[in-house]
Amino acid sequence: MLKFLLLCTLAVASRAEIAEEEDVLVLKKSNFDEALKAHPNILVEFYAPWCGHCKALAPEYAKAAGMLKAEGSAIRLAKVDATEETELAQEYGVRGYPTIKFFKGGEKESPKEYSAGRQADDIVSWLKKRTGPAVATLAGVTEAESLIADNEVAVIGFFKDAESDGAKAYAKAAEAIDDIPFGITSDDAVYSKFEISKDGVVLFKKFDEGRNTFDGELTKEKLLAFVKANQLPLVIEFTEQTAPKIFGGDIKSHILMFLPKAAADFQDKMEQFKKAAEGFKGRILFIFIDSDVDDNQRILEFFGLKKEECPAIRLITLEDEMTKYKPESNSITAESITEFCTRFTEGETQGGRKRSGCQDIPEDWEKTPVKVLVGKNFEEVAFDPSKNVFVEFYAPWCGHCKQLAPIWEKLGEKYKDSADTIVAKMDSTANEIEAVKVHSFPTLKFFPAGDERKVIDYNGERTLEGFTKFLESGGKDGGAPAGDDDDDDLDSDEMAEDPLKDRLQC
């Protein structure tokens, strides 16, 4: 009996070690497994105390935890200080802050990446969708009205026969979407309330036209396309809250309008932008960026824009080959934007691409230990068959680039008198070249001597010793062929920065 009591006491003590802050569990390596056993469905935020995005998320995250706790839900929210619990952070591939993962059913091997918004309601809705039935049965008008009222976007399937092929396709589509609630009803009163005369699917939303009715063959694929095309506003303002929806979606072509919200003609230009958006639903996201907001200046710089140059239109594709485009005309009308987008979708926008020779060659570009490259001299320097050229592609605002700068200068000093090695740098926010695609900053690439035009990515330590070994080995020690580079090889405190996704993570 004494042994049994002792074991019970130890078990209670172990559970007591999981502290809470504002209804959020505080996890460490020592209690992580215990937490997963005690709470089979748990959302875990890996954060850094200094991270601005984590600080912005904190009150909404705590609010979501409180909402679930007040409902008596078994779902819990937790957080891990990834700067202290480095083993846990490494185990779960934490590369930026915040990283949020959902552990379902006590499984710790393959958690689901959180992919919804940063508001408390978004978090709660996503978790309920992940843990409950994919489709809620709506028995009457009150339940249907509540589903619509409680959510920014909701989908209702009207099916007299829940076993019909259409209803089954609808259920499969619902299972594939995490962040939108789906309901189903066969109730005549609900049909009447929403003026539905036959089986079908309606998406209800609190913006734009208010509702969209599906028209087509009821298949999972077509239903998913319908929802994805209509679940976002025609024009989305880029903010901390909307960023996850922008980057988490399937639409990877984004057109951006940079415009100060305080501008006298703001409403007129917004109407023109929105009018153009109507013809590209499901194909191109139309995004508005307030060019007066300080946090958006990085994005302007990434596109080579200054505040005084706004309003301006730019288009970017976020596929493996990130490409930026600008229209030939500065006009912001529905007609000009529609023409630009049409040319893009038809593959005719090459003439509107940002050209490589954006900056003039500085007079003293080769007089400093680290040579300065721009679009106009990159080709002849980087692919000089008699030289080994090591280039840093940087952004002026990038914190990691600033940390690297003194080391890169020392490397330049070390090789300034070399007959066959050049250390160089290029501002990739002001220069874009066809030969190299830069997706994040800093990007380090080596162009070895020879006629083969080889490009080798640097994956090693960002130290003078690491760079020296790399150069002395001819690009072998710490290098990988271009195309094989994986951000996972970077240290967690040296994550490459993307000016767009930077609004999501530190």
Side-chain angles (χ1 to χ4, degrees):
M1 177 63 73
L2 181 61
K3 184 176 181 181
F4 173 76
L5 289 172
L6 180 59
L7 288 172
C8 290
T9 302
L10 288 173
V12 171
S14 175
R15 285 195 294 272
E17 288 176 9
I18 305 178
E20 289 188 28
E21 293 178 1
E22 297 182 291
D23 299 321
V24 177
L25 300 172
V26 181
L27 303 187
K28 304 175 182 295
K29 183 172 176 59
S30 58
N31 64 13
F32 197 82
D33 289 349
E34 176 69 28
L36 294 186
K37 291 176 184 176
H39 309 286
N41 293 318
I42 184 167
L43 187 70
V44 181
E45 175 204 5
F46 294 86
Y47 74 97
W50 45 260
C51 167
H53 305 307
C54 302
K55 291 176 183 177
L57 172 64
E60 292 296 321
Y61 198 71
K63 182 180 176 182
M67 288 166 64
L68 290 167
K69 196 171 183 180
E71 293 176 6
S73 172
I75 306 169
R76 295 303 306 268
L77 270 64
K79 61 183 180 181
V80 173
D81 182 345
T83 65
E84 291 288 336
E85 302 297 324
T86 53
E87 285 187 46
L88 275 178
Q90 185 174 359
E91 181 178 353
Y92 291 107
V94 176
R95 305 257 325 120
Y97 307 117
T99 290
I100 308 172
K101 294 180 181 285
F102 179 56
F103 296 80
K104 185 175 181 179
E107 274 295 328
K108 62 177 292 186
E109 280 72 27
S110 54
K112 170 81 173 178
E113 198 81 24
Y114 176 75
S115 58
R118 297 284 174 88
Q119 298 295 298
D121 289 340
D122 295 326
I123 297 169
V124 171
S125 295
W126 188 89
L127 286 168
K128 286 183 176 179
K129 188 71 186 291
R130 294 298 303 174
T131 55
V135 181
T137 300
L138 308 175
V141 172
T142 301
E143 291 182 15
E145 288 181 328
S146 295
L147 182 72
I148 295 167
D150 293 344
N151 296 280
E152 186 80 2
V153 179
V155 183
I156 297 181
F158 295 83
F159 295 99
K160 291 296 185 180
D161 180 5
E163 296 302 315
S164 66
D165 290 342
K168 289 178 180 178
Y170 176 72
K172 289 179 180 178
E175 290 170 357
I177 297 178
D178 292 333
D179 54 346
I180 296 176
F182 281 65
I184 189 169
T185 185
S186 61
D187 186 75
D188 289 338
V190 183
Y191 273 67
S192 177
K193 172 66 180 178
F194 296 104
E195 300 177 344
I196 304 297
S197 59
K198 60 180 182 179
D199 284 5
V201 176
V202 180
L203 181 144
F204 297 88
K205 56 192 181 184
K206 295 179 179 176
F207 48 83
D208 295 340
E209 63 270 52
R211 64 186 274 178
N212 303 101
T213 301
F214 177 76
D215 182 19
E217 184 185 359
L218 285 165
T219 66
K220 174 186 173 181
E221 292 72 26
K222 290 184 178 180
L223 284 168
L224 287 175
F226 164 74
V227 173
K228 289 173 182 176
N230 293 288
Q231 68 180 18
L232 296 174
L234 282 172
V235 175
I236 313 166
E237 181 175 359
F238 187 82
T239 66
E240 186 85 30
Q241 289 70 42
T242 62
K245 295 178 181 178
I246 291 170
F247 294 115
D250 293 334
I251 303 173
K252 300 303 181 185
S253 297
H254 301 172
I255 187 168
L256 305 100
M257 179 172 68
F258 297 89
L259 174 69
K261 195 178 281 189
D265 60 348
F266 171 79
Q267 202 56 48
D268 177 61
K269 284 188 167 52
M270 183 60 76
E271 287 301 319
Q272 295 293 314
F273 197 53
K274 184 177 288 189
K275 186 177 179 181
E278 293 174 1
F280 298 93
K281 286 173 65 172
R283 293 185 291 164
I284 300 176
L285 282 187
F286 278 62
I287 301 166
F288 155 65
I289 296 179
D290 189 344
S291 55
D292 276 347
V293 173
D294 289 341
D295 283 349
N296 290 336
Q297 298 314 300
R298 288 184 173 187
I299 306 172
L300 267 74
E301 291 171 4
F302 179 70
F303 284 91
L305 286 168
K306 297 177 182 178
K307 286 174 67 173
E308 52 269 25
E309 294 176 300
C310 298
I313 297 288
R314 294 293 185 269
L315 192 149
I316 186 168
T317 59
L318 301 179
E319 303 290 354
D320 291 338
E321 292 296 320
M322 183 189 291
T323 309
K324 294 177 281 184
Y325 301 86
K326 66 178 179 180
E328 294 176 348
S329 168
N330 292 325
S331 172
I332 297 181
T333 64
E335 292 76 17
S336 63
I337 296 168
T338 298
E339 180 186 1
F340 177 51
C341 290
T342 300
R343 290 179 60 206
F344 167 75
T345 57
E346 294 177 354
E348 299 175 3
T349 49
Q350 191 65 25
R353 255 183 97 164
K354 181 179 173 184
R355 301 187 185 280
S356 59
C358 295
Q359 286 187 312
D360 291 328
I361 302 173
E363 292 183 5
D364 59 347
W365 73 272
E366 57 183 342
K367 294 179 181 177
T368 54
V370 176
K371 313 308 176 191
V372 179
L373 301 186
V374 295
K376 293 179 179 179
N377 68 351
F378 179 84
E379 185 79 14
E380 62 179 296
V381 176
F383 291 107
D384 182 340
S386 67
K387 305 290 185 184
N388 295 300
V389 185
F390 198 11
V391 183
E392 176 203 8
F393 298 88
Y394 73 96
W397 44 257
C398 167
H400 303 309
C401 301
K402 291 174 182 176
Q403 291 175 5
L404 178 62
I407 302 172
W408 203 250
E409 288 296 328
K410 288 179 181 178
L411 186 68
E413 280 286 346
K414 187 179 182 72
Y415 287 95
K416 69 177 181 179
D417 297 322
S418 172
D420 60 3
T421 299
I422 292 175
V423 177
K425 63 181 180 180
M426 189 175 88
D427 180 352
S428 286
T429 66
N431 301 276
E432 187 174 318
I433 54 176
E434 292 294 327
V436 177
K437 299 296 181 183
V438 177
H439 303 298
S440 56
F441 305 110
T443 289
L444 307 176
K445 292 183 181 286
F446 180 57
F447 303 81
D451 295 318
E452 296 88 351
R453 293 177 64 87
K454 283 185 179 179
V455 184
I456 298 174
D457 291 331
Y458 180 75
N459 291 338
E461 295 180 356
R462 292 180 185 170
T463 62
L464 183 61
E465 294 76 16
F467 294 144
T468 302
K469 286 180 182 179
F470 176 71
L471 288 174
E472 297 300 324
S473 69
K476 294 178 181 178
D477 192 339
D484 291 348
D485 186 19
D486 190 324
D487 282 348
D488 289 341
D489 293 329
L490 296 171
D491 292 335
S492 60
D493 61 343
E494 292 185 330
M495 291 170 291
E497 292 189 53
D498 182 313
L500 299 172
K501 293 185 180 178
D502 180 61
R503 291 294 298 275
L504 276 167
Q505 290 187 317
C506 291

